[in-house]
């Protein structure tokens, strides 16, 4: 019995040590602040359009300093301590409130948002990128989700561009296509 317990402890310790070798210390820098962000970064603010291939319609995403309008839904950004979560089972008083944080992952500057009552989970990710489309540089809002920050769409500055590029993916994007 002692040998079995010792073997399990040794295996667990070895797994943690080996896992640590594959993690690079600069892969992800988390915001040093003890509070979530108070305003969305200027780089992602503005009006963006994306095309929903499933419903065949254009969706407007409008991001201001403290609000995000996504289609029909308006979410309001609020700040709180990163360790202060609403109590489990608490009555939902603010269903449209979201919190966010800025971070750098593999040299890319992202903004993550998730629900006020959400204590775990991946949330939604946004960043401004520049890609070449038909030889021209175009500013886009890259939208992603999931634990691995998988790209699930792009926001364009016009409805026409969103519809024309609805099925376009760029090299290097991690994404799932459903």
């Amino acid at each position: 019995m002692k040998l079995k317990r010792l073997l399990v402890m040794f295996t667990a310790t070895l797994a943690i040590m080996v896992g640590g070798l594959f993690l690079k210390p600069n892969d992800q820098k988390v915001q040093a602040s003890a509070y979530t962000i108070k305003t969305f970064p200027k780089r992602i603010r503005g009006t963006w359009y994306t095309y929903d291939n499933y419903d065949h319609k254009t969706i407007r995403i409008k991001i201001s300093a403290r609000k995000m309008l996504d289609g029909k839904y308006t979410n309001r950004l609020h700040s709180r301590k990163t360790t202060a979560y609403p109590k489990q089972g608490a009555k939902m008083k603010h269903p449209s409130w979201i919190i966010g944080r800025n971070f750098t992952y593999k040299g890319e500057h992202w903004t993550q948002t998730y629900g006020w009552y959400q204590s775990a989970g991946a949330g939604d990710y946004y960043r401004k990128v520049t890609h070449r489309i038909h030889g021209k540089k175009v500013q886009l809002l890259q939208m992603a989700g999931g634990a691995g920050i998988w790209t699930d769409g792009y926001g364009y500055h016009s409805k026409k561009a969103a519809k024309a590029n609805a099925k376009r993916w760029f090299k290097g994007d991690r994404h799932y296509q459903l």
Side-chain angles (χ1 to χ4, degrees):
M1 193 65 153
K2 287 183 180 181
L3 183 61
K4 186 176 180 182
R5 181 185 253 168
L6 184 63
L7 183 61
V8 168
M9 289 179 65
F10 175 74
T11 306
T13 304
L14 184 64
I16 291 170
M17 289 173 57
V18 170
L21 292 175
F22 292 105
L23 294 176
K24 295 178 187 171
N26 293 332
D27 268 1
Q28 186 169 358
K29 296 176 187 172
V30 178
Q31 179 178 327
S33 174
Y35 289 88
T36 59
I37 60 174
K38 294 182 180 185
T39 60
F40 287 113
K42 290 181 181 178
R43 66 180 175 265
I44 67 168
R45 292 184 201 170
T47 302
W48 305 91
Y49 298 92
T50 186
Y51 190 77
D52 185 345
N53 286 314
Y54 183 75
D55 289 335
H56 304 288
K57 64 181 181 179
T58 305
I59 299 168
R60 182 177 70 152
I61 300 166
K62 187 173 181 180
I63 303 172
S64 65
R66 297 197 53 165
K67 285 184 187 177
M68 180 182 287
L69 175 72
D70 186 355
K72 300 177 206 173
Y73 304 101
T74 301
N75 293 309
R76 290 168 174 76
L77 184 68
H78 288 270
S79 183
R80 70 170 188 219
K81 278 190 169 186
T82 54
T83 57
Y85 299 108
K87 292 181 182 177
Q88 289 285 18
K91 185 177 178 183
M92 193 178 290
K93 297 178 184 177
H94 311 290
S96 67
W97 284 17
I98 58 173
I99 57 175
R101 69 182 182 110
N102 295 321
F103 66 95
T104 301
Y105 179 73
K106 295 188 178 187
E108 301 168 345
H109 301 291
W110 289 92
T111 298
Q112 179 187 23
T113 63
Y114 45 101
W116 181 259
Y117 294 95
Q118 187 176 346
S119 61
D124 296 313
Y125 302 89
Y126 304 92
R127 77 178 181 125
K128 190 173 183 179
V129 295
T130 303
H131 284 296
R132 267 192 198 279
I133 300 176
H134 305 299
K136 293 183 179 180
K137 287 185 178 182
V138 180
Q139 297 286 323
L140 306 173
L141 179 69
Q142 185 175 2
M143 300 173 285
I149 311 178
W150 292 291
T151 301
D152 52 23
Y154 288 94
Y156 296 83
H157 282 297
S158 71
K159 292 179 184 181
K160 183 179 176 182
K163 189 171 183 178
N165 296 295
K167 295 182 181 180
R168 181 181 296 272
W169 294 98
F170 298 94
K171 185 177 180 181
D173 287 345
R174 292 173 290 169
H175 68 278
Y176 287 126
Q177 285 187 304
L178 303 175

